[in-house]
Amino acid sequence: MTPVRVAVLISGRGSNMAALIEAARAPGCPYRIALVLSNKAGAEGLDAARLAGIETAVVDSAPYGKDREAHERAVDAVLRDHGVEVVALAGYMRILSAWLVGAWAGRMLNIHPSLLPKYPGLQTHARALEAGDSVAGCSVHLVTEGMDEGPVLAQAEVPVLEGDTPETLAERVLSVEHRLYPETLSRFCASLPR
């Protein structure tokens, strides 16, 4: 069966992107990374993607100012030009408009560093520590209009250790993200009608 063509959207270093690329090299993987796209020309992950032989694109968000939909229409055009079937957000630091979410409804995934519905948005690890949680973790979910509100496809727990800081907890959660996201994307892509 032909692998599902996936685009990974990044804004920074792209560590989850790298995990998805590595997993896609496995024989029989139901997806392949067809494109890595960033809204920032200087995103470190673009270099890593190029080194891995993945095509990259930049649709800089700065020239669009506050017109998110105009920026997203340009992003969408690039995705469609590359025959993308599924979009995986991996540290894409943009709040998406209803237009783009609707255009990719049911085919856009995100990884979030908390056990949703706990702690949507930013500062998840600090918030978990402030709440005195004994367990943190990460979630892969479908993207909907509400921030981090889409249906959860998979979660993984990470124990909170005595003396944890937001940074130490983030590091441990990130290593689990690197396993959970490829596994979940593989299951998701394998389940799509072809």
Side-chain angles (χ1 to χ4, degrees), residues 48-172:
R50 288 183 198 112
L51 283 171
I54 307 294
E55 193 164 347
T56 63
V58 175
V59 181
D60 194 336
S61 51
Y64 294 90
K66 294 184 179 181
D67 192 345
R68 287 187 297 148
E69 187 176 319
H71 175 252
E72 291 171 359
R73 285 185 182 275
V75 168
D76 183 69
V78 173
L79 296 175
R80 297 193 188 277
D81 284 349
H82 285 81
V84 169
E85 299 169 273
V86 169
V87 175
L89 305 179
Y92 190 64
M93 303 306 288
R94 300 276 299 168
I95 295 174
L96 302 180
S97 74
W99 183 84
L100 189 65
V101 171
W104 290 91
R107 294 205 170 225
M108 182 182 285
L109 287 70
N110 184 42
I111 184 130
H112 183 73
S114 78
L115 296 172
L116 292 172
K118 277 187 161 187
Y119 316 124
L122 301 175
Q123 307 300 324
T124 56
H125 307 299
R127 289 156 66 197
L129 292 173
E130 286 167 16
D133 292 352
S134 61
V135 175
C138 52
S139 306
V140 178
H141 65 95
L142 288 174
V143 177
T144 58
E145 285 186 45
M147 182 187 292
D148 300 323
E149 289 180 0
V152 172
L153 302 176
Q155 292 185 314
E157 293 184 349
V158 174
V160 176
L161 304 179
E162 190 174 334
D164 257 338
T165 65
E167 295 75 22
T168 59
L169 182 56
E171 189 176 311
R172 288 202 321 285

